[in-house]
Structure formats: C-alpha cells, structure tokens
Amino acid sequence: MGEPEFTATGVRIGKRLRSLTRAGQVRISDGRLQLLTSYGSEIDSARVQAVRASKPWFAHEDRASADVNGTRYSLTLGEHDPAPGKPGPPSARRFIEAVRRAAGHGR
C-alpha cells in the first residue's frame, strides 16, 4: 500500500442528523476513499471515481459532504489548513480538491 494522497484526522463524520464519530479519519489512498472512526474501524469506503464530494452552499466553510455508495455523509473539517507543523484537520476545500484530483478530474 502506497503513501496516502490525503489524510485528515479529527474529522466529525455524520449521516443525516446522527453523528457517527467526532474525531474520525478521512483517507484517500490507492484510488479509494475511506471514512474511519477514531478507533480506525471503517464506516464506509469506495473507489474515488464513485465518490461525489461537494461543499453545501448553506454550510459553514469547514463543512463538506461526500456521497459514498449512495449514502451522503457530512464532514466537518477545518476552516483553514493548519500552519505547517501544527496538528489539525485540513480545510474542507482541500478535501474536495483531493477527491477530484484522485478521480482524475483535478487540475
């Protein structure tokens, strides 16, 4: 398994109005997107070409949504990327760009 193209920790992952984890992980590696709990258990995963990532127009800057296997998940990442060397989740915009780039739709 290669180096992950994108990794975010401390991500709040929800489904509809229910929170699944408050400190989850989002990982893109080897052409797959994985949503993981804080303990590393898989919530859902799919080939990145089958994932639709977007920013809801009504949501805060730190929110993104991901449609994975027909289920829409809400993700709360960081509003801004953390400073170099500082811990914290990357921005929602960076997540969306990473999904598009991994799927071959990026710049």
Side-chain angles (χ1 to χ4, degrees):
M1 187 148 93
E3 186 72 23
E5 291 121 44
F6 178 86
T7 302
T9 57
V11 178
R12 180 182 293 255
I13 301 172
K15 185 166 110 176
R16 297 195 184 202
L17 297 176
R18 196 172 107 212
S19 177
L20 300 175
T21 183
R22 295 187 322 177
Q25 300 175 40
V26 177
R27 185 180 305 153
I28 299 174
S29 180
D30 296 328
R32 288 191 73 77
L33 172 100
Q34 292 180 300
L35 302 176
L36 307 168
T37 67
S38 55
Y39 299 108
S41 300
E42 187 174 283
I43 296 170
D44 208 344
S45 71
R47 302 275 321 145
V48 79
Q49 289 86 356
V51 174
R52 196 177 93 204
S54 60
K55 165 109 181 54
W57 63 272
F58 55 86
H60 293 283
E61 287 297 313
D62 63 347
R63 302 245 172 116
S65 66
D67 291 337
V68 181
N69 296 323
T71 303
R72 176 168 287 176
Y73 295 95
S74 61
L75 309 173
T76 305
L77 296 111
E79 243 180 86
H80 305 287
D81 288 331
K86 298 286 182 180
S91 68
R93 182 180 53 209
R94 194 165 138 227
F95 163 71
I96 294 166
E97 290 170 359
V99 170
R100 290 182 181 155
R101 192 170 44 251
H105 302 297
R107 304 169 221 195

